[in-house]
Amino acid sequence: MANEVLEELAQIFRAASKKMSALVSFLMHHKDASSIGAIAGFAIALVCTWRYMRSSNPVRRPKPTAKVEAPSSSSSDSTSGSSTAIESRGSQARQRGVAIQEAPLSKLTLAQSVKRQLKGGRKVTCQLLGVVLQENSTADLENHAVVRPAAADVLLELAQCCDLYLMSRVNDDASEEAILAALDQIGLFSKANFNRNKVLFCSSEAGRCSFVRQLEPDWHIDTSVDIVNQLARYIHHELLISPAPLGSMPSNVLETNTLESYFDCR
């Protein structure tokens, strides 16, 4: 609207200028005091009219809009850098957590490995024939009894870290003495301070099964599939020593080929 008014004023001014030029030209040919005064008065009237018209119709200029400055590259770089550093530290922490959880068992000591494999169990019953001893039958015990060298260290650790009971089926007193002598030779009674009364003897597998049920251990270790199956409902954990995996065993029964292969995970 203001632009239209200014355009009309400009047209009026141009028309007045043309008339003024004609009038000035006429007066120049008739020079006198009255003519010069008329020209000056007319010019002053035009200027006053122009100023009045401009003041009554001011031109509205658009208001400047505030500019929203984008974050500087330095601040964005520092922000991205800090977030990257945080993510990096978090990733490193997660990697450290994984490294701790999945630490190779070779870094454990034998005592730590044994405790880890017991899964919190405190009382353990263990058959001697075929597990701790080289002999697999009562007939072999009539000649000698020898502790398997690979199982000796694990047996000593079990004797020190849990309530351990050892049991074996024998045919005579001589076999009992041979077993006690073999256990004494590896330091079970001296180094581990193991009580001899916790070495139990029986004449049948049914007697061994009865021992285990009366003691109510957290773990039982045996070579007999029948005994392991009979005790599966009464014992929390069982370890079956077998040269080859049998499969189709109760869920609380673990299978391994030797005593040390399960407990010594270093």
Side-chain angles (χ1 to χ4, degrees):
M1 181 68 183
N3 292 335
E4 294 178 357
V5 173
L6 289 176
E7 184 63 28
E8 291 179 0
L9 290 175
Q11 292 178 358
I12 294 172
F13 187 77
R14 284 194 293 271
S17 298
K18 291 180 180 180
K19 292 182 178 180
M20 182 65 181
S21 298
L23 179 60
V24 170
S25 177
F26 172 77
L27 293 175
M28 289 300 292
H29 291 83
H30 304 80
K31 295 179 181 179
D32 54 18
S34 59
S35 299
I36 296 173
I39 293 173
F42 186 74
I44 292 171
L46 282 177
V47 171
C48 291
T49 302
W50 174 256
R51 288 184 177 178
Y52 172 76
M53 294 301 291
R54 281 193 59 126
S55 63
S56 61
N57 294 280
V59 179
R60 295 182 181 179
R61 297 181 181 179
K63 295 181 179 181
T65 57
K67 294 183 179 179
V68 179
E69 296 183 357
S72 63
S73 59
S74 58
S75 60
S76 60
D77 290 344
S78 61
T79 303
S80 61
S82 60
S83 61
T84 303
I86 293 173
E87 292 177 359
S88 177
R89 288 195 294 270
S91 176
Q92 291 175 2
R94 289 191 295 271
Q95 291 175 359
R96 286 196 296 270
V98 171
I100 292 172
Q101 295 173 2
E102 301 178 359
L105 295 178
S106 58
K107 293 184 178 181
L108 298 176
T109 64
L110 178 58
Q112 292 172 333
S113 177
V114 170
K115 291 179 180 179
R116 178 183 183 276
Q117 295 300 89
L118 285 175
K119 301 177 181 179
R122 282 290 303 138
K123 184 181 287 188
V124 179
T125 55
C126 178
Q127 177 191 3
L128 287 170
L129 286 174
V131 179
V132 174
L133 301 177
Q134 292 182 354
E135 292 74 25
N136 295 308
S137 66
T138 56
D140 296 335
L141 292 174
E142 295 176 0
N143 299 320
H144 54 74
V146 179
V147 175
R148 297 174 50 250
D153 290 339
V154 173
L155 181 63
L156 293 175
E157 288 296 339
L158 284 171
Q160 295 178 80
C161 74
C162 65
D163 187 12
L164 177 65
Y165 291 83
L166 302 174
M167 52 192 66
S168 179
R169 184 162 61 93
V170 296
N171 292 334
D172 50 35
D173 293 343
S175 297
E176 293 183 15
E177 293 299 328
I179 291 175
L180 291 173
L183 296 176
D184 189 28
Q185 188 175 3
I186 66 169
L188 182 65
F189 306 122
S190 57
K191 294 179 181 179
N193 197 26
F194 189 73
N195 189 346
R196 288 173 178 263
N197 295 325
K198 295 172 73 173
V199 183
L200 309 176
F201 299 102
C202 58
S203 59
S204 65
E205 290 192 344
R208 184 166 79 251
C209 187
S210 177
F211 280 156
V212 175
R213 289 196 59 182
Q214 291 178 33
L215 291 169
E216 298 181 345
D218 300 307
W219 282 84
H220 177 62
I221 306 169
D222 211 300
T223 59
S224 172
V225 177
D226 292 336
I227 290 182
V228 167
N229 283 325
Q230 291 178 39
L231 296 173
R233 346 173 228 183
Y234 307 107
I235 311 300
H236 292 297
H237 304 286
E238 291 190 277
L239 186 63
L240 175 63
I241 308 297
S242 175
L246 301 177
S248 66
M249 299 299 295
S251 59
N252 62 331
V253 176
L254 301 176
E255 297 183 50
T256 184
N257 56 351
T258 62
L259 180 71
E260 62 274 11
S261 65
Y262 177 76
F263 284 104
D264 190 358
C265 301
R266 294 175 298 169

